[in-house]
Amino acid sequence: MNGDKLRSVSEKTINRLSLYRRLLENRFGKGHEHVFSHELAELACVTPAQVRRDLMCVDNSGSTSRGYSVQELVREITAVLDAPGGQRIALVGVGNLGRAILSYFSGRRPGIAITAAFDSDPSLAGRVINGCRCHPMSELSEVLRGSEIGAAIVAVPASAAQDIADRLVAAGVRGILNFAPVPLKVPEGVFLEHRDMTMSLETVAFFARRSLGDAE
Amino acid sequence: MNGDKLRSVSEKTINRLSLYRRLLENRFGKGHEHVFSHELAELACVTPAQVRRDLMCVDNSGSTSRGYSVQELVREITAVLDAPGGQRIALVGVGNLGRAILSYFSGRRPGIAITAAFDSDPSLAGRVINGCRCHPMSELSEVLRGSEIGAAIVAVPASAAQDIADRLVAAGVRGILNFAPVPLKVPEGVFLEHRDMTMSLETVAFFARRSLGDAE
DNA sequence: GAATATCTGTGAAAGCAATCACAGATAGTT
DNA sequence: AACTATCTGTGATTGCTTTCACAGATATTC
């Protein structure tokens, strides 16, 4: 990787780098060979200072009065975010949400692919959904150990989530994106992101209501 | 609402209150009439001090040596989070993700219901999915103005998202949960939550890889 | 009923993240 | 070539969130 700088990069910065890259990719070639921090900030809905701070961890030097080369910036962010040979992800839970995730990510990012799915429903075993092969849950450890999968998405019911997480960690997974509506316990060193939709929706509902109340 | 305290509550605290309530509901009646801050903290994967701080904004007083009454705590959190008569939410975009969201929230929370859905595909108009009626996109303003909907979920492609957001805001929506992979611009006073799955997955992939690198 | 143990509520401290503000750089203009 | 304008990179600052640590409260024990 990029050595010392990256060891201390915050999660929020990585989040925004991912966003910056996508925004830049969408604009490149459309008459935008260069971009200023305030332009990228406008696209990303953050401040220019935030953009420049975030970019301190990539090996790119913007030029004064011309800004950043879009192409170079994309390349440098990619050098930070993507694994050189691409990265494989597993999906556990092929219900409504799991399928939506599969279809959503199918070919969306070149550097990342969901290459194995698991579900407790045996009738799914062997099926291929959006280019991803489904396996029975019992094969989880076996399939993961035979692959280069280091991260996984959990989209199972709350009751099954912790057990799945334990098995994923035991099989060597070091990053989990959790959509189950329950917090997971993972050992030190395993990165965990909890994306609880109920939490998100209740929070939006609360602040929408408070905002209405404030206006009256 | 609860007056002064709530005016300054942070988003993070509201997020956790939502989580606490669900964890408590799941446990109540199973021999857990009371709960200590360290027990709830364990369930939520946070520190006991965090729990106590968060609970400062609800009108509940835990008793020393017995902790909090689970039932009372749920009631008090509900008084903060839920609208007295329940809250209605709109969903825009009934694709794979939109349907997964509809099925996920169907009857999940008593205080919140997705009561109207919109999609640009005319063949969906009039259909009822998971108890939610689908409307053509052209009826968005009309339907919203005739209802008590103050918040919405956006699950449309990136290219359509900003236009949808503008129309939602114009129709009086004050909170948006955005799943489209693009940041949205909304006026001051409108609460916006961006849940970008690509960002989340790339971030998990990054830290999983870094964690593996650290271990070697 | 005094002593002990263990809890809550919260002021104070520590830790993180975002913003400010300016030095240094570079292009354009006259 | 000096002057102006405007950018980046970053030390310093501000603001927010979490954690610490302890006073005060309440059961329990002897």
Side-chain angles (χ1 to χ4, degrees):
Chain A
M1 282 202 206
N2 199 353
D4 295 341
K5 283 183 197 165
L6 287 185
R7 212 144 286 268
S8 58
V9 181
S10 76
E11 181 183 337
K12 303 207 167 186
T13 291
I14 295 297
N15 259 282
R16 284 186 297 259
L17 287 179
S18 162
L19 177 60
Y20 298 157
R21 175 168 63 172
R22 246 179 313 140
L23 295 168
L24 292 169
E25 285 170 342
N26 289 342
R27 288 174 80 74
F28 184 67
K30 299 174 184 166
H32 295 90
E33 308 299 315
H34 290 266
V35 67
F36 292 122
S37 64
H38 64 262
E39 294 174 319
L40 184 48
E42 165 76 14
L43 292 173
C45 297
V46 298
T47 63
Q50 181 78 78
V51 169
R52 296 201 299 275
R53 238 322 132 212
D54 287 336
L55 293 183
M56 281 176 70
C57 76
V58 311
D59 274 343
N60 190 289
S61 214
S63 91
T64 297
S65 301
R66 216 178 326 162
Y68 303 89
S69 152
V70 174
Q71 206 167 20
E72 267 184 50
L73 203 45
V74 168
R75 190 165 49 232
E76 292 300 338
I77 294 177
T78 296
V80 170
L81 290 187
D82 286 6
Q87 196 156 357
R88 290 147 189 266
I89 311 277
L91 169 70
V92 188
V94 191
N96 286 310
L97 184 58
R99 281 166 215 251
I101 290 169
L102 274 180
S103 115
Y104 183 88
F105 280 113
S106 177
R108 185 173 287 258
R109 294 299 319 166
I112 288 185
I114 302 176
T115 56
F118 302 90
D119 199 280
S120 59
D121 177 356
S123 73
L124 285 170
R127 279 188 56 190
V128 176
I129 301 180
N130 282 110
C132 175
R133 181 170 208 90
C134 295
H135 303 268
M137 205 63 97
S138 55
E139 289 177 12
L140 193 144
S141 305
E142 186 189 338
V143 172
L144 287 192
R145 289 193 183 284
S147 66
E148 292 287 316
I149 292 175
I153 302 170
V154 172
V156 301
S159 55
Q162 184 61 58
D163 176 54
I164 296 295
D166 294 343
R167 290 164 67 183
L168 286 169
V169 171
V173 161
R174 306 290 271 176
I176 294 178
L177 177 50
N178 176 34
F179 287 102
V182 61
L184 298 179
K185 283 152 190 73
V186 295
E188 182 92 5
V190 175
F191 183 84
L192 177 66
E193 183 112 338
H194 186 198
R195 280 289 125 100
D196 190 315
M197 292 208 293
T198 304
M199 240 166 64
S200 299
L201 189 58
E202 289 193 329
T203 300
V204 169
F206 172 84
F207 283 102
R209 190 158 62 93
R210 195 176 76 171
S211 180
L212 274 168
D214 285 351
E216 278 155 17
Chain B
M1 281 204 205
N2 198 354
D4 295 342
K5 282 183 198 167
L6 287 185
R7 213 146 283 269
S8 57
V9 182
S10 76
E11 180 183 337
K12 302 206 168 189
T13 291
I14 294 297
N15 258 283
R16 284 186 296 259
L17 287 180
S18 161
L19 177 60
Y20 298 157
R21 176 170 60 172
R22 245 178 315 139
L23 295 168
L24 291 169
E25 285 170 342
N26 288 342
R27 287 174 82 73
F28 184 67
K30 301 174 183 166
H32 296 89
E33 308 299 316
H34 290 266
V35 67
F36 292 122
S37 63
H38 65 262
E39 293 173 320
L40 184 48
E42 165 75 15
L43 291 173
C45 296
V46 298
T47 64
Q50 182 78 80
V51 169
R52 297 201 298 275
R53 221 359 103 203
D54 288 335
L55 293 182
M56 280 176 70
C57 75
V58 311
D59 274 343
N60 189 289
S61 214
S63 91
T64 298
S65 300
R66 215 176 326 162
Y68 304 88
S69 152
V70 174
Q71 206 166 20
E72 268 184 49
L73 203 44
V74 168
R75 190 165 49 233
E76 292 298 339
I77 294 177
T78 296
V80 170
L81 291 187
D82 286 6
Q87 196 156 358
R88 290 147 189 267
I89 312 275
L91 169 70
V92 188
V94 191
N96 286 309
L97 183 58
R99 282 165 213 251
I101 290 169
L102 275 179
S103 115
Y104 182 88
F105 280 113
S106 177
R108 185 173 286 258
R109 294 298 320 164
I112 288 185
I114 301 177
T115 55
F118 301 90
D119 199 280
S120 59
D121 177 357
S123 72
L124 285 170
R127 281 188 56 190
V128 175
I129 301 178
N130 283 111
C132 173
R133 181 172 208 87
C134 296
H135 302 268
M137 206 64 95
S138 55
E139 289 176 12
L140 193 143
S141 305
E142 186 188 338
V143 173
L144 286 192
R145 288 194 184 285
S147 66
E148 292 287 314
I149 292 175
I153 303 170
V154 172
V156 301
S159 54
Q162 184 61 57
D163 176 55
I164 296 295
D166 294 342
R167 290 165 67 183
L168 287 169
V169 171
V173 162
R174 307 289 272 176
I176 294 179
L177 177 51
N178 177 34
F179 286 102
V182 62
L184 297 179
K185 282 152 191 73
V186 295
E188 183 90 6
V190 176
F191 183 84
L192 178 65
E193 183 111 340
H194 186 198
R195 279 289 124 101
D196 191 316
M197 293 208 292
T198 304
M199 241 166 63
S200 299
L201 188 59
E202 288 194 331
T203 300
V204 168
F206 172 83
F207 283 103
R209 189 157 63 93
R210 195 175 75 170
S211 180
L212 274 168
D214 285 352
E216 277 156 17

